């Protein structure tokens, strides 16, 4: 278990290591964070993390620094180091090892809470659940949930008030194009920004990835970039779908985290999602923008096709569900508003005419 944990936490701090690259299995190379490596040649990288028995160690062939992985991690990022020793301890690795047993009284902040919530999360036993869990485990080293509490990407998610139970599924990468090239080398999109982004994975019902969306955190001409990595329909959140319950379909991926059994289209074509769920009780929840021509046009199409739609009352402030949450409404209150303002057939046509004039 030690190697898995150390490999994961090395991934967490890899963006802080200049010229970082994996040379082969359990051998990583980068510029030394102790001596800074060559001052004349910025391409020289003589720091290494390597495996010995069941642990990682660090060595620099420039300054000669040699130390355990734990001390190396503490030097690079103290916050990530505290998460690391907590996870080692939680996994029962309290015997002879290259780290010091943590003093929990000094660590009962966010890292401690995150660790405990992770350990207590229920796990499904079905084949589908196992497949979904494998998907998220494969990308765990990118997860916002595992970022230090002071990290700006984590701060962004906290400010959006995204429920913490979904943080495991929200990723952060410092270079989006490099991430795609490494994890999805067969993707066919050429123009992809190589900047820092929140990454959201579209899945099918088995948890297999179909599309990858990147939301820019820094200034960018391309705020959202979605890359197709399979031939399946682009629907966000299918791995959470319960077909026996009412299904809500929204536009934004973040919005889908606030409603039960909710999917997201990633655009205003909610009717396109409804077409692949013909036997289910589906409610289309468009953004609350009655003066947006594209949204009005899409709602009119859905009304004509007989779909159930939600039309928010004029008193509800916020262009989408996430904004309503930030404005003070609770998820339960929003669901109640949606259920009370869901229409279909002739009633939907009448309410739609009134709504678009508000």
């Amino acid at each position: 278990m030690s190697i898995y944990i150390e490999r994961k936490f090395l991934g967490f701090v890899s963006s802080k290591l200049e010229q970082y690259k994996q040379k082969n299995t359990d051998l990583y190379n980068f510029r030394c964070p102790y001596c800074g490596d060559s001052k004349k040649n910025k391409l020289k990288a003589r720091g290494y993390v390597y495996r010995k028995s069941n642990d990682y160690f660090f060595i620099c062939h420039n300054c000669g620094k040699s130390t355990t992985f734990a001390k190396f991690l503490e030097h690079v990022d103290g916050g990530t180091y505290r998460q690391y020793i907590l996870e080692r301890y939680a996994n029962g690795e309290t015997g002879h090892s290259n780290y010091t047993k943590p003093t929990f009284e000094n660590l009962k902040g966010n890292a401690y809470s995150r660790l405990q919530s992770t350990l207590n999360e229920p796990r499904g036993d079905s084949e589908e659940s196992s497949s979904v869990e494998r998907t998220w485990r494969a990308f765990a080293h990118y997860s916002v949930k595992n970022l230090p509490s002071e990290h700006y990407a984590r701060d962004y998610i906290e400010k959006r008030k995204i429920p913490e139970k979904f943080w495991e599924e929200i990723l952060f990468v410092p270079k989006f194009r490099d991430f795609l090239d490494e994890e999805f080398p067969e993707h066919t999109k050429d123009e992809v920004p190589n900047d820092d982004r929140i990454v959201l994975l579209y899945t099918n019902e088995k948890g297999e990835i179909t599309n990858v969306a990147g939301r820019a955190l820094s200034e960018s001409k391309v705020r959202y970039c979605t890359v197709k990595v399979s031939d399946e329909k682009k629907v966000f959140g299918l791995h959470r779908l319960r077909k026996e319950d009412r299904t809500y379909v929204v536009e934004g991926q973040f919005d889908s985290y606030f409603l039960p059994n909710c999917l997201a289209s990633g655009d205003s074509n909610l009717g396109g999602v409804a077409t692949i769920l013909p036997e289910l009780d589906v409610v289309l929840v468009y953004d609350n923008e009655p003066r947006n021509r594209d949204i009005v046009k899409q709602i009119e199409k859905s009304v004509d096709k007989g779909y159930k739609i939600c039309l928010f009352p004029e008193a509800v402030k916020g262009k989408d569900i996430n904004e309503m949450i930030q404005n003070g409404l609770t998820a339960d209150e929003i669901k109640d508003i949606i259920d009370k303002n869901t229409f279909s057939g002739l009633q939907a046509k009448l309410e739609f005419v009134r709504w678009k004039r508000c």
Side-chain angles (χ1 to χ4, degrees):
M1 181 63 73
S2 172
I3 284 296
Y4 167 76
I5 294 174
E6 292 179 345
R7 187 182 294 128
K8 178 174 74 171
F9 278 85
L10 179 60
F12 291 169
V13 299
S14 61
S15 62
K16 297 177 179 290
L17 302 172
E18 294 182 49
Q19 305 292 337
Y20 175 87
K21 53 185 172 295
Q22 184 172 358
K23 304 290 285 187
N24 54 47
T25 304
D26 294 324
L27 179 63
Y28 304 84
N29 174 227
F30 41 84
R31 287 174 66 82
C32 176
Y34 289 91
C35 68
D37 232 297
S38 173
K39 301 297 186 294
K40 295 181 180 180
N41 187 344
K42 297 299 183 182
L43 297 179
K44 278 193 176 292
R46 289 170 287 188
Y48 291 85
V49 165
Y50 64 98
R51 179 175 181 170
K52 182 178 180 182
S53 297
N54 201 36
D55 288 297
Y56 275 177
F57 292 83
F58 169 83
I59 189 170
C60 175
H61 294 309
N62 182 46
C63 65
K65 178 69 175 180
S66 178
T67 188
T68 63
F69 179 79
K71 290 181 179 178
F72 159 79
L73 190 62
E74 185 178 23
H75 176 78
V76 174
D77 189 324
T80 303
Y81 164 77
R82 289 190 290 274
Q83 288 181 260
Y84 164 77
I85 58 174
L86 279 168
E87 185 157 337
R88 291 282 306 251
Y89 188 73
N91 278 277
E93 298 181 30
T94 57
H96 299 291
S97 60
N98 62 14
Y99 78 105
T100 303
K101 177 181 175 179
T103 303
F104 282 91
E105 290 303 315
N106 296 329
L107 294 169
K108 287 189 176 180
N110 290 336
Y112 179 86
S113 300
R114 290 197 303 277
L115 173 65
Q116 292 307 109
S117 64
T118 301
L119 295 176
N120 293 330
E121 283 179 354
R123 299 296 182 183
D125 295 326
S126 68
E127 181 179 348
E128 290 78 8
S129 295
S130 297
S131 177
V132 170
E133 288 176 12
R134 284 195 295 271
T135 295
W136 302 122
R137 282 201 299 268
F139 291 89
H141 54 297
Y142 297 108
S143 173
V144 166
K145 184 173 185 176
N146 293 315
L147 289 174
S149 58
E150 66 274 12
H151 196 284
Y152 65 95
R154 177 188 166 97
D155 182 62
Y156 172 80
I157 295 301
E158 287 180 341
K159 287 180 178 177
R160 295 292 295 262
K161 296 187 176 182
I162 306 300
E164 192 168 347
K165 65 181 180 179
F166 296 114
W167 288 11
E168 183 180 39
E169 301 180 10
I170 302 172
L171 313 182
F172 165 76
V173 298
K175 294 185 177 182
F176 186 51
R177 187 177 64 240
D178 289 353
F179 165 78
L180 288 171
D181 290 344
E182 179 178 350
E183 301 291 350
F184 305 95
E186 296 182 2
H187 80 85
T188 57
K189 193 159 187 173
D190 295 325
E191 299 299 322
V192 179
N194 203 25
D195 52 7
D196 54 337
R197 289 182 178 253
I198 291 293
V199 173
L200 300 170
L201 304 177
Y202 286 75
T203 59
N204 59 22
E205 291 182 52
K206 295 181 180 179
E208 298 164 338
I209 299 167
T210 62
N211 289 262
V212 181
R215 198 276 184 200
L217 288 175
S218 54
E219 290 296 324
S220 175
K221 293 181 180 179
V222 184
R223 189 177 181 188
Y224 292 94
C225 180
T226 302
V227 178
K228 192 175 183 66
V229 296
S230 85
D231 293 329
E232 295 190 53
K233 178 74 176 178
K234 178 173 73 77
V235 181
F236 183 79
L238 275 173
H239 63 284
R240 293 192 295 270
L241 178 64
R242 300 186 305 276
K243 294 183 177 181
E244 66 275 13
D245 296 339
R246 166 167 279 190
T247 301
Y248 300 91
V249 180
V250 297
E251 296 188 35
Q253 301 96 333
F254 284 162
D255 295 332
S256 71
Y257 292 135
F258 298 99
L259 293 176
N261 205 38
C262 189
L263 307 175
S265 61
D267 53 33
S268 61
N269 184 22
L270 276 61
V273 177
T275 60
I276 67 171
L277 307 170
E279 305 300 322
L280 305 189
D281 178 18
V282 175
V283 175
L284 306 184
V285 185
Y286 289 88
D287 281 356
N288 186 29
E289 297 185 277
R291 292 176 179 81
N292 184 310
R293 291 183 180 180
D294 183 54
I295 290 178
V296 170
K297 184 177 180 180
Q298 291 290 345
I299 293 177
E300 188 170 20
K301 286 182 179 179
S302 294
V303 170
D304 290 342
K305 291 181 179 179
Y307 294 136
K308 294 179 182 178
I309 60 166
C310 167
L311 297 171
F312 286 102
E314 187 176 2
V316 175
K317 303 304 178 184
K319 67 178 180 60
D320 56 31
I321 291 173
N322 195 188
E323 192 169 295
M324 294 172 193
I325 290 287
Q326 292 177 299
N327 288 341
L329 287 176
T330 68
D332 287 341
E333 288 172 338
I334 293 172
K335 179 182 179 299
D336 186 56
I337 291 171
I338 290 171
D339 289 340
K340 290 179 178 177
N341 292 276
T342 292
F343 312 101
S344 62
L346 179 60
Q347 186 180 14
K349 292 183 178 181
L350 295 173
E351 292 292 337
F352 171 66
V353 171
R354 178 198 59 77
W355 176 82
K356 70 179 182 179
R357 290 177 178 173
C358 290

